[in-house]
Amino acid sequence: ASERWLSCPASVRLSQRAPKQPESAYAAEGTTAHALLEIEGQYAFGQITKRQYDLRFEKWLKGAEMNDYDILEMRSHINEMVEFLKEQVADAGPHAQISFEQRMATGIESCWGTGDVVIYGMTVVKIIDLKYGAGVPVDAENNSQLRLYGCGALDAFGDLLGDTETVETIIYQPRLESITSETLTAQELRDWREEIRPIAAEALAGSERFGASEKACRWCPVAATCRVRVEQATSVDFGSDP
């Protein structure tokens, strides 16, 4: 939720008091797509056997609460992404490795993430994030979530095969036919992390500084009852003194 707390540090403590919301149909669909990517990707890169693949795919199929058309569509998109990943591994150079559903600490206190795909070579680390939704386009440029994943991957894999020089973050959004990316040097990414570290500390300390905005409030669990958001929204329509 970095896009939220970087803009609105007060939302961290406030959202802890919000009732837990049930998973939406869109979130469930995304979870199903990510599970299929892990199965297909691990099999394509020789990380599981054919028998393991068949067992896991059969279990996935039974748990996928979708009609036959949606299943075929999802399989098609995921298989296309696997082909894209093969290109990315080749681009990362000789001996490059790929990992799926990689949980990583980001180097920011109490902040961790799970990278859908992490590729690391001798001089480059790539973070590739699947966004299966078809409603909201997501851009990799200045994307704090992916930058934090990049920080985690840099810490975990940056010196395994060599000295990492660049970190590339990629968002793959197949249903919108969108692939966006951002490339930073390893030092630029570390410098960015140091810039946001005080904001993270402020949020964890129970900050009362709000920062309502369309992006920050979109998925906030207290957006419907937040007075600051009400004042921000009405001031846009009616002036500075709603």
Side-chain angles (χ1 to χ4, degrees):
S2 58
E3 196 169 63
R4 171 162 53 83
W5 57 257
L6 283 171
S7 174
C8 185
S11 67
V12 172
R13 293 299 184 198
L14 194 62
S15 63
Q16 288 181 333
R17 301 200 297 268
K20 186 174 178 60
Q21 299 297 313
E23 186 179 51
S24 70
Y26 304 108
E29 182 182 56
T31 299
T32 302
H34 282 79
L36 181 60
L37 173 62
E38 183 180 16
I39 296 169
E40 296 288 357
Q42 288 185 336
Y43 180 61
F45 287 94
Q47 297 175 1
I48 57 174
T49 65
K50 181 64 165 62
R51 174 168 172 75
Q52 289 173 319
Y53 170 81
D54 289 340
L55 291 172
R56 288 175 60 182
F57 180 77
E58 182 179 358
K59 182 178 180 181
W60 175 87
L61 199 58
K62 288 180 179 178
E65 297 181 357
M66 300 184 296
N67 60 46
D68 290 345
Y69 175 83
D70 289 339
I71 287 175
L72 287 173
E73 180 190 27
M74 183 175 288
R75 291 192 69 187
S76 175
H77 286 314
I78 295 303
N79 287 330
E80 289 175 2
M81 183 172 179
V82 170
E83 293 304 310
F84 174 76
L85 294 178
K86 291 178 181 178
E87 296 173 3
Q88 293 301 311
V89 170
D91 180 67
H95 313 298
Q97 302 293 311
I98 185 169
S99 177
F100 295 88
E101 292 298 310
Q102 182 68 51
R103 183 182 171 100
M104 300 170 292
T106 66
I108 296 290
E109 184 183 355
S110 300
C111 181
W112 56 271
T114 302
D116 298 341
V117 182
V118 179
I119 297 171
Y120 54 97
M122 296 185 70
T123 62
V124 64
V125 168
K126 296 173 180 270
I127 302 294
I128 304 172
D129 199 58
L130 168 65
K131 302 292 187 188
Y132 196 71
V136 181
V138 185
D139 197 336
E141 191 76 24
N142 295 315
N143 188 296
S144 60
Q145 176 197 10
L146 262 70
R147 285 188 177 189
L148 283 166
Y149 288 180
C151 289
L154 187 60
D155 291 344
F157 306 109
D159 60 356
L160 288 183
L161 297 179
D163 293 325
T164 296
E165 298 172 4
T166 58
V167 179
E168 184 176 3
T169 56
I170 300 171
I171 290 181
Y172 190 95
Q173 207 162 0
R175 294 164 79 190
L176 292 180
E177 299 181 351
S178 172
I179 301 174
T180 60
S181 65
E182 179 183 66
T183 301
L184 298 173
T185 67
Q187 190 57 51
E188 285 174 334
L189 192 60
R190 291 188 177 104
D191 290 345
W192 173 82
R193 179 167 58 185
E194 292 309 307
E195 290 175 9
I196 70 166
R197 196 180 296 281
I199 304 176
E202 179 186 356
L204 288 172
S207 172
E208 295 184 2
R209 179 168 67 88
F210 289 85
S213 69
E214 182 179 353
K215 285 186 176 182
C217 300
R218 178 178 289 149
W219 310 116
C220 182
V222 296
T225 57
C226 177
R227 179 168 181 81
V228 175
R229 178 171 180 255
V230 172
E231 292 175 349
Q232 187 269 346
T234 53
S235 67
V236 170
D237 289 336
F238 302 109
S240 61
D241 186 13

